[in-house]
Amino acid sequence: MTDKIFTTKDNLQILHEDNHIIVVNKRVGDIVQGDKTGDKPLSEVVKEYIKDKYNKPGEVFLGVVHRLDRPTSGIVVFAKTSKALTRLNELFNKRETQKTYWAIVKNYPPKENDILVHFLKRNPKNNTSKAHIKEVPESKKASLEYTIIKKLDSYYALEINLHTGRHHQIRAQLQAIGCPIKGDLKYGFDRSNPDGGIHLHARQLVFIHPVAKIEVSLIAPTPNDVIWNAIG
């Protein structure tokens, strides 16, 4: 069981920071950007951290480059300058990044390793996406590759490389092959996790630094719980 820890400027898990970018390991439950819940987003926490660390007067600039679903954990990149934000937005939009996720599922996947291709249709009413085998109206093609990296007592750990970046893509595609993610009630798992999260973690990100033009390769430690810790 994971004790719920709320992220503050004093306990941010920073994976990388320089003059142009800051990369954070998001906890389960953190919301990246403000929404209708009114809960304090991670972006505001990072601003507070920067303001405090560098004694910055006035408003701190921070650009949100991409998001992770609230119940997931892992790598989130923010831009500290407008130049970095513009270039990072282009990198992510063109899919010139390498994203690797880890997921824990209960059911054995159809294959040890496979490429999944579906057509995802989003339902804004309940904020879900449904994976279809064939193209349907208003659907978008989604592709990923998964590999079983460890067999646990009751679960399987998968490593996932995304080829596209669709709404709830990993969650919907794994449900479509009968492998919903542990804790993911919205996508077919039978019970929730104690912390309200799901066992999906943005594990690794590789990209070219928007200003320095060198490769940045980052790995985010998994949350501290029995199942994640069993992967090693």
Side-chain angles (χ1 to χ4, degrees), residues 1-4 27-29 69-73 102-106 152 154-155 171 180-201 223-228:
M1 180 169 174
T2 305
D3 293 326
K4 180 66 185 142
R27 291 182 172 90
V28 165
D69 299 339
R70 188 166 193 169
T72 67
S73 57
W102 281 1
I104 304 293
V105 299
K106 187 174 184 177
L152 308 171
S154 304
Y155 300 98
R171 300 166 69 180
I181 295 167
K182 184 180 181 302
D184 199 355
L185 297 179
K186 189 174 269 194
Y187 287 91
F189 202 80
D190 57 2
R191 64 186 185 278
S192 60
N193 287 341
D195 62 3
I198 64 175
H199 275 74
L200 178 62
H201 180 70
N224 182 26
D225 75 29
V226 172
I227 294 174
W228 281 127

Side-chain angles (χ1 to χ4, degrees), residues 9 12 17-22 42-64 78-82 85:
K9 66 180 177 64
L12 264 182
E17 182 182 6
D18 59 45
N19 290 336
H20 292 280
I21 63 175
I22 181 167
L42 190 57
S43 56
E44 288 302 314
V45 175
V46 175
K47 280 185 181 181
E48 288 177 358
Y49 160 81
I50 293 170
K51 189 177 182 70
D52 187 55
K53 181 177 180 179
Y54 301 102
N55 294 313
K56 281 187 174 283
E59 185 69 18
V60 171
F61 178 88
L62 191 78
V64 177
F78 296 99
K80 293 170 70 176
T81 62
S82 56
L85 179 61

Side-chain angles (χ1 to χ4, degrees), residues 42-195:
L42 190 57
S43 56
E44 288 302 314
V45 175
V46 175
K47 280 185 181 181
E48 288 177 358
Y49 160 81
I50 293 170
K51 189 177 182 70
D52 187 55
K53 181 177 180 179
Y54 301 102
N55 294 313
K56 281 187 174 283
E59 185 69 18
V60 171
F61 178 88
L62 191 78
V64 177
V65 178
H66 65 122
R67 301 176 207 179
L68 285 182
D69 299 339
R70 188 166 193 169
T72 67
S73 57
I75 297 174
V76 180
V77 180
F78 296 99
K80 293 170 70 176
T81 62
S82 56
K83 180 196 283 188
L85 179 61
T86 301
R87 293 177 182 177
L88 283 170
N89 281 339
E90 192 175 350
L91 271 180
F92 277 77
N93 288 338
K94 289 182 175 178
R95 307 293 304 165
E96 293 174 353
T97 59
Q98 186 182 325
K99 296 179 183 177
T100 303
Y101 287 77
W102 281 1
I104 304 293
V105 299
K106 187 174 184 177
N107 299 328
Y108 189 80
K111 297 178 182 178
E112 290 263 338
N113 169 271
D114 201 9
I115 293 174
L116 303 182
V117 178
H118 292 94
F119 293 88
L120 264 54
K121 183 170 183 177
R122 187 169 180 174
N123 182 346
K125 289 183 180 176
N126 61 8
N127 191 35
T128 60
S129 288
K130 182 169 177 58
H132 298 267
I133 297 297
K134 294 182 178 178
E135 192 170 3
V136 298
E138 297 174 31
S139 64
K140 292 180 178 179
K141 188 176 181 180
S143 174
L144 62 78
E145 182 175 6
Y146 75 83
T147 303
I148 299 174
I149 54 172
K150 190 146 189 182
K151 297 174 183 179
L152 308 171
D153 289 343
S154 304
Y155 300 98
Y156 299 91
L158 309 183
E159 184 167 278
I160 295 149
N161 288 306
L162 278 180
H163 303 154
T164 54
R166 306 301 184 198
H167 175 257
H168 290 183
Q169 177 180 337
I170 297 172
R171 300 166 69 180
Q173 286 196 272
L174 289 183
Q175 180 192 34
I177 63 166
C179 296
I181 295 167
K182 184 180 181 302
D184 199 355
L185 297 179
K186 189 174 269 194
Y187 287 91
F189 202 80
D190 57 2
R191 64 186 185 278
S192 60
N193 287 341
D195 62 3

